[in-house]
């Protein structure tokens, strides 16, 4: 398989498949494909243990119930996956004992052998992440995978015992073995969180990828510009629905 990452602000992952090669993505994430590529959707393609139990693990990690496989015919084919928000696509190599932990919508695509499951989930107050809490997804197995992160990316190589405190929405990805936990800043209140100010504590050794853009922050910044009043109820409802979707994304 040959791959290219095209574009800048809204990049696209282009996968050129040889005969009978397969690439896997979450259902509904494919952007375009060439003639001769066969698409099949199931609960078992990236489930780890397979079948419905594997699908449940994916959903708990913020993924979809189904994944889709794209198989090239005898003359090969092309499949493309595009990001849904401004950011970057990063390639990672997965092998047993070398998993990656990513934010709930970080997985974009992978070769055969990927295993997706939940890594962590915790409620952090009603307003944070649309009330869905802080969710991390584990990408494991034996495969090449591609992850989408939001905005600009800043990386840190944490040494053993070195700590980094991060706003939960800015956690993009980190290597397995990096220790993480939820902590609070006592006495500091935040209107967005509706309570204590929560931070993720990341402890090395491990590599950490942080993302500059958060959908929750973007939605909050757009709120003052939404139409108000009865005359704009229709437009306000439509845009409000978009913002609600961002908060839940």
């Amino acid at each position: 398989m040959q791959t290219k990452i095209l574009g800048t602000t809204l990049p696209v992952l282009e996968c050129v498949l040889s005969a009978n090669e397969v690439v896997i993505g979450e259902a509904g994430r494919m952007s375009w494909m060439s003639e001769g590529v066969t698409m099949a959707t199931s609960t078992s393609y990236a489930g780890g243990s397979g079948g419905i139990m594997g699908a449940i693990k994916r959903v708990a990690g913020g993924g979809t119930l189904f994944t889709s496989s794209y198989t090239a015919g005898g003359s090969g084919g092309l499949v493309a996956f595009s990001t849904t928000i401004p950011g970057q696509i990063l390639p990672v190599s997965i092998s047993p004992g070398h998993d990656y932990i990513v934010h709930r919508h970080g997985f974009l695509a992978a070769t055969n052998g990927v295993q997706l499951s939940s890594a962590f989930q915790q409620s952090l107050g009603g307003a944070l992440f649309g009330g869905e809490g802080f969710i991390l997804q584990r990408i494991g197995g034996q495969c090449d995978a591609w992850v989408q992160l939001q905005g600009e990316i800043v990386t840190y190589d944490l040494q053993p015992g070195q700590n980094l405190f991060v706003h939960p929405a800015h956690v993009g990805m980190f290597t397995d073995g990096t220790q993480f936990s939820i902590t609070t800043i006592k006495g500091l209140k935040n209107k967005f969180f509706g309570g204590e100010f929560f931070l993720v504590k990341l402890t090395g050794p491990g590599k950490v990828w942080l993302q500059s853009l958060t959908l929750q922050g973007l939605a909050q910044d757009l709120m003052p510009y939404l139409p108000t009043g009865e005359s704009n109820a229709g437009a306000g409802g439509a845009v409000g629905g978009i913002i609600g979707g961002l908060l839940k994304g």
Side-chain angles (χ1 to χ4, degrees), residues 9-11 29 83-90 103-106 129 147-154 168-173 209-218 246 249:
T9 305
L10 289 166
R29 298 298 295 274
T83 59
T84 55
I85 52 174
Q88 300 181 32
I89 297 174
L90 301 181
H103 71 95
R104 68 185 304 264
H105 292 308
F129 302 118
V147 173
Q148 68 165 358
L149 301 183
Q150 304 165 4
E152 299 297 331
I153 308 304
V154 179
H170 288 282
V171 176
M173 176 172 67
W209 289 258
L210 305 182
Q211 50 193 12
S212 66
L213 174 67
T214 72
L215 289 179
Q216 298 74 29
L218 176 62
L246 289 175

Side-chain angles (χ1 to χ4, degrees), residues 73-247:
S75 58
L78 179 147
V79 182
F81 302 88
S82 58
T83 59
T84 55
I85 52 174
Q88 300 181 32
I89 297 174
L90 301 181
V92 292
S93 181
I94 311 292
S95 60
H98 296 86
D99 297 354
Y100 284 79
I101 312 300
V102 303
H103 71 95
R104 68 185 304 264
H105 292 308
F107 174 71
L108 183 64
T111 58
N112 247 339
V114 65
Q115 297 178 356
L116 303 175
S117 60
S118 173
F120 184 77
Q121 182 173 8
Q122 180 171 327
S123 174
L124 299 183
L128 183 60
F129 302 118
E132 294 185 1
F134 179 54
I135 300 173
L136 294 172
Q137 187 175 39
R138 177 182 297 274
I139 305 179
Q142 180 81 49
C143 66
D144 292 321
W146 291 268
V147 173
Q148 68 165 358
L149 301 183
Q150 304 165 4
E152 299 297 331
I153 308 304
V154 179
T155 62
Y156 293 94
D157 288 302
L158 300 182
Q159 301 305 307
Q162 183 180 5
N163 295 320
L164 187 66
F165 296 89
V166 185
H167 183 295
H170 288 282
V171 176
M173 176 172 67
F174 52 89
T175 53
D176 193 20
T178 305
Q179 301 298 311
F180 64 96
S181 60
I182 302 296
T183 187
T184 60
I185 299 179
K186 299 299 183 182
L188 178 63
K189 302 291 183 178
N190 183 284
K191 65 178 181 180
F192 182 60
F193 287 94
E196 300 287 351
F197 192 90
F198 292 95
L199 293 175
V200 177
K201 179 182 177 182
L202 298 170
T203 304
K207 187 169 184 177
V208 175
W209 289 258
L210 305 182
Q211 50 193 12
S212 66
L213 174 67
T214 72
L215 289 179
Q216 298 74 29
L218 176 62
Q220 186 183 31
D221 287 343
L222 290 176
M223 284 294 185
Y225 303 99
L226 296 180
T228 58
E230 293 183 2
S231 61
N232 293 323
V239 179
I242 294 174
I243 299 301
L246 289 175
L247 287 171

